[in-house]
Amino acid sequence: MGYTPHVLVIGGGVLGTGVARDLAIRGLDVTLVTERGLGTGTTRGLGVIESGARHSSDETLAKRLHSERQKLGQIAGDCIENTGGLMVSDSPAQGETLRKAADSASIPTDTIEGDDLREREPGLSDDVGRAVSAPDAVVDPFTLTLATASSAREYGATIRPHTTVTGIGVEEGTLDTVSLRHDPAPGAHPAAVQPVTDGGKPGVPGGEPDDADRTMPGEAAEEAKQFTAPSTDEIDPDYVVNAVGGRADEVASLAGLELGRQTVVESTLLVDANPPDTVVTYRSSDGEDTVVMPRRGRTAIGTMRKTVTDDDGAAASITDVRELEDRASEAVPALQNEETLRADSALSLQCSGGEAGHDHELLDHGDRDGCWGMTTIVGGSLTTHRYVAEQVADDVCAKFGIRRECQTDEIPLPTVEPLGAASDITDERPVVCDSLPVTQAELEAAFEACESPAIEEATLRLGTEFGSWGESQCAYRVASALYPEYDESVVATVLQAFLDEHWETQRPVLRGETLESATRTYRSYVETMALGDEAIHGEDSQDGEAADPGIDLDSFADGRETANRTRPLACERPTGGELSR
């Protein structure tokens, strides 16, 4: 056996995990690091696997997209919903162009008109008289990323979430040591996990049967968990793949490299409306495409693209939101009367030849900058991620004289259970919150499946997500599911982190009653529960001991005392209780 190269992949999205999986299947030693939890950044996009039909003016790209759509359907069927798609336009000329282009690219399509079209999608505008159906699909990017990472692990890859690259050494034109920092809660008060005195975890029986002081159900152990203290280490990979998307320039700069690519912000909206049954792509008379699609029982709209020069423009603007709303309403008029819940933004880098999107580039820094040992991926998409990963793996293997064929188009992804071992959990207790149809036991299982507790990841594992500020009023109940196993400071930190991130997606869409609701929620958290830096970390008192964080978790309403609460349907609006007052 010859030497096995060690490759470090930076980036825990669907592309980074795809590269790690391909390299691991080919027998290389792979380590993947990601700053956050796996896949938590992938949900900011639409989640469409495109058939290539709407890009059929570029026949090569259309055929590639269609090929990848078929391959992903074969290997990742558990993550994909075959909704199909409709391409529509209020311009007869644009509609005919779409149909002819799809036919020329050999993509299976069909023309639907009149009553058949209204039956397929009743909400379409009366101005839309014809549609071209295409085999588009909807995918859950989070589950797809988990499945891809699980497959990479099966083939020997090491996956390290919550790990940031802090330095990349360069020695005589070659990448050298890479410095890493593992921090499960950036910004939190650093404290090691405290040992549980009875050998079990708080609230769970533990220790030997004859231990007189073991923890019993409903009781807390003497010491509750806190966040693990940050730790640092160094590794010496033979090669590095930079797959962090829109932040790739930050990683490259650690090695003294500049990418020279513009950053592109892609914004999508989540609307509180009954979703369409299919992926609807509306092409306006000026050739702009707007996608309206189902997403966890609601409607997602996208995508607005713009280039930015700094982080100040890295979020959707009010103008972006209005334009997306107007464009979507041209195709589905009922959307103009519905509430926009939030605006998500994802960053990517622009390829040298044109727009960010399905195109991609591999920047070999040895050839480009005289610094051997790293390749940066620019571009790529959810639909093309497997293909791009194959190109990267081919290139890396060639550098080490390895000739092994790609197998990621043949080996199925494993079925993953986002809740881990607790996936079959049954719980007769009432739901925790009127806005989230989950029980206390399900929440506890979701947090247990996270390497480090986080509300966003926990709700994604439960197949749901917070939308409006009204729903985020329940965030404290969700966070309180961590108590008493975790210390109160941990619960406060988790809640604060969620609210900070949630606010970023809320600012562009708040107006009228929603702005008033957000203000009330903010006042509730800040004034009633004293959330803030001092509340989370504690303020030293005069005697040197940490002050009370100001949050009485024992008094939180966690859903257990509400005997009449039943599990609501997805998207059901509350008709009683706190949120309807």
Side-chain angles (χ1 to χ4, degrees):
M1 295 290 291
Y3 175 74
T4 301
H6 178 202
V7 180
L8 172 65
V9 179
I10 307 172
V14 68
L15 179 55
T17 54
V19 172
R21 176 180 186 244
D22 197 324
L23 290 170
I25 289 175
R26 300 194 201 202
L28 278 69
D29 183 10
V30 179
T31 298
L32 180 145
V33 297
T34 178
E35 186 174 2
R36 304 175 61 186
L38 280 171
T40 52
T42 62
T43 59
R44 299 181 184 275
L46 281 176
V48 176
I49 300 296
E50 296 187 34
S51 63
R54 71 184 179 101
H55 296 279
S56 46
S57 57
D58 182 340
E59 188 171 336
T60 300
L61 174 60
K63 289 183 176 180
R64 180 181 302 157
L65 293 174
H66 184 54
S67 174
E68 288 304 303
R69 162 67 180 93
Q70 292 177 308
K71 291 174 181 177
L72 290 174
Q74 293 170 356
I75 68 169
D78 290 343
C79 306
I80 293 176
E81 183 180 357
N82 295 311
T83 60
L86 290 176
M87 297 183 295
V88 303
S89 178
D90 57 7
S91 166
Q94 287 282 7
E96 185 64 16
T97 299
L98 285 169
R99 186 190 64 78
K100 289 182 177 179
D103 288 344
S104 67
S106 301
I107 297 173
T109 60
D110 191 18
T111 300
I112 306 176
E113 300 177 297
D115 293 341
D116 291 338
L117 178 58
R118 300 301 156 198
E119 183 177 353
R120 178 84 174 266
E121 281 298 343
L124 288 175
S125 168
D126 292 338
D127 294 332
V128 176
R130 173 186 294 181
V132 178
S133 68
D136 296 332
V138 173
V139 66
D140 180 355
F142 177 71
T143 305
L144 179 62
T145 302
L146 292 185
T148 306
S150 177
S151 179
R153 283 193 181 100
E154 288 180 359
Y155 286 89
T158 299
I159 309 292
R160 297 180 57 177
H162 304 286
T163 302
T164 305
V165 176
T166 58
I168 300 177
V170 178
E171 186 73 27
E172 297 181 353
T174 301
L175 255 65
D176 194 28
T177 300
V178 177
S179 301
L180 304 175
R181 175 183 172 88
H182 176 73
D183 189 354
H189 180 63
V193 174
Q194 300 297 319
V196 180
T197 57
D198 60 8
K201 65 180 182 179
V204 178
E208 297 299 323
D210 56 353
D211 286 346
D213 59 348
R214 64 180 180 174
T215 305
M216 298 304 293
E219 299 178 349
E222 294 181 12
E223 298 289 345
K225 288 182 181 179
Q226 292 181 317
F227 284 117
T228 303
S231 60
T232 60
D233 65 312
E234 294 182 343
I235 62 174
D236 294 302
D238 296 296
Y239 207 82
V240 175
V241 176
N242 180 4
V244 297
R247 300 294 186 187
D249 52 345
E250 297 177 7
V251 173
S253 68
L254 296 175
L257 305 172
E258 294 184 2
L259 300 185
R261 294 289 188 272
Q262 285 188 305
T263 300
V264 178
V265 178
E266 300 182 346
S267 299
T268 61
L269 306 181
L270 184 66
V271 180
D272 192 17
N274 291 327
D277 293 327
T278 61
V279 178
V280 177
T281 301
Y282 170 71
R283 179 162 295 179
S284 62
S285 56
D286 60 3
E288 289 286 341
D289 285 347
T290 303
V291 175
V292 181
M293 57 166 285
R295 175 170 166 176
R296 293 191 175 95
R298 286 168 167 154
T299 298
I301 301 171
T303 303
M304 175 67 67
R305 291 185 176 90
K306 64 179 181 181
T307 58
V308 297
T309 56
D310 53 45
D311 286 345
D312 291 339
S317 67
I318 295 175
T319 302
D320 297 334
V321 171
R322 299 294 188 274
E323 184 172 344
L324 266 178
E325 289 174 338
D326 291 344
R327 280 164 38 181
S329 296
E330 291 179 17
V332 184
L335 289 176
Q336 63 187 336
N337 300 319
E338 302 294 347
E339 178 187 356
T340 300
L341 300 176
R342 69 169 195 251
D344 292 309
S345 296
L347 301 181
S348 59
L349 296 183
Q350 192 172 51
C351 293
S352 59
E355 296 184 359
H358 298 294
D359 292 337
H360 75 279
E361 287 181 278
L362 304 185
L363 305 184
D364 184 329
H365 294 289
D367 296 338
R368 183 176 181 268
D369 304 296
C371 182
W372 194 92
M374 182 164 72
T375 291
T376 294
I377 306 172
V378 175
S381 67
L382 185 60
T383 305
T384 63
H385 79 276
R386 192 216 61 83
Y387 171 79
V388 175
E390 178 181 346
Q391 305 304 302
V392 174
D394 285 345
D395 182 63
V396 172
C397 286
K399 294 180 187 302
F400 293 97
I402 297 173
R403 296 182 179 180
R404 294 170 188 162
E405 295 296 323
C406 175
Q407 300 180 65
T408 58
D409 58 343
E410 300 173 353
I411 301 175
L413 292 176
T415 299
V416 296
E417 298 292 350
L419 296 185
S423 57
D424 296 329
I425 192 169
T426 58
D427 187 15
E428 296 181 356
R429 288 179 290 179
V431 297
V432 170
C433 173
D434 293 309
S435 298
L436 292 178
V438 296
T439 66
Q440 181 78 13
E442 289 169 332
L443 259 180
E444 292 168 357
F447 279 124
E448 184 70 22
C450 302
E451 189 203 39
S452 181
I455 291 178
E456 180 189 15
E457 183 176 348
T459 53
L460 287 172
R461 288 181 178 275
L462 290 165
T464 185
E465 57 190 335
F466 281 109
S468 67
W469 265 103
E471 293 178 1
S472 67
Q473 290 176 344
C474 287
Y476 78 93
R477 291 179 177 171
V478 173
S480 69
L482 293 167
Y483 184 79
E485 180 175 353
Y486 283 87
D487 184 79
E488 293 184 18
S489 64
V490 173
V491 181
T493 297
V494 168
L495 181 56
Q496 180 78 56
F498 166 77
L499 293 175
D500 288 345
E501 188 162 306
H502 195 58
W503 172 245
E504 291 298 317
T505 69
Q506 291 289 301
R507 285 189 297 180
V509 305
L510 293 175
R511 55 186 182 267
E513 293 182 0
T514 59
L515 180 58
E516 294 178 8
S517 175
T519 303
R520 288 194 299 269
T521 301
Y522 177 82
R523 290 174 63 93
S524 172
Y525 280 120
V526 173
E527 296 179 1
T528 307
M529 288 181 277
L531 271 184
D533 191 63
E534 292 180 357
I536 293 174
H537 303 317
E539 183 179 16
D540 289 342
S541 60
Q542 293 182 353
D543 59 5
E545 296 183 358
D548 186 342
I551 301 178
D552 182 10
L553 289 169
D554 287 316
S555 66
F556 271 14
D558 61 6
R560 301 176 187 179
E561 303 299 325
T562 311
N564 295 326
R565 180 180 291 141
T566 57
R567 180 189 294 263
L569 299 175
C571 304
E572 179 184 4
R573 291 178 174 81
T575 57
E578 296 176 13
L579 295 184
S580 62
R581 292 174 186 167

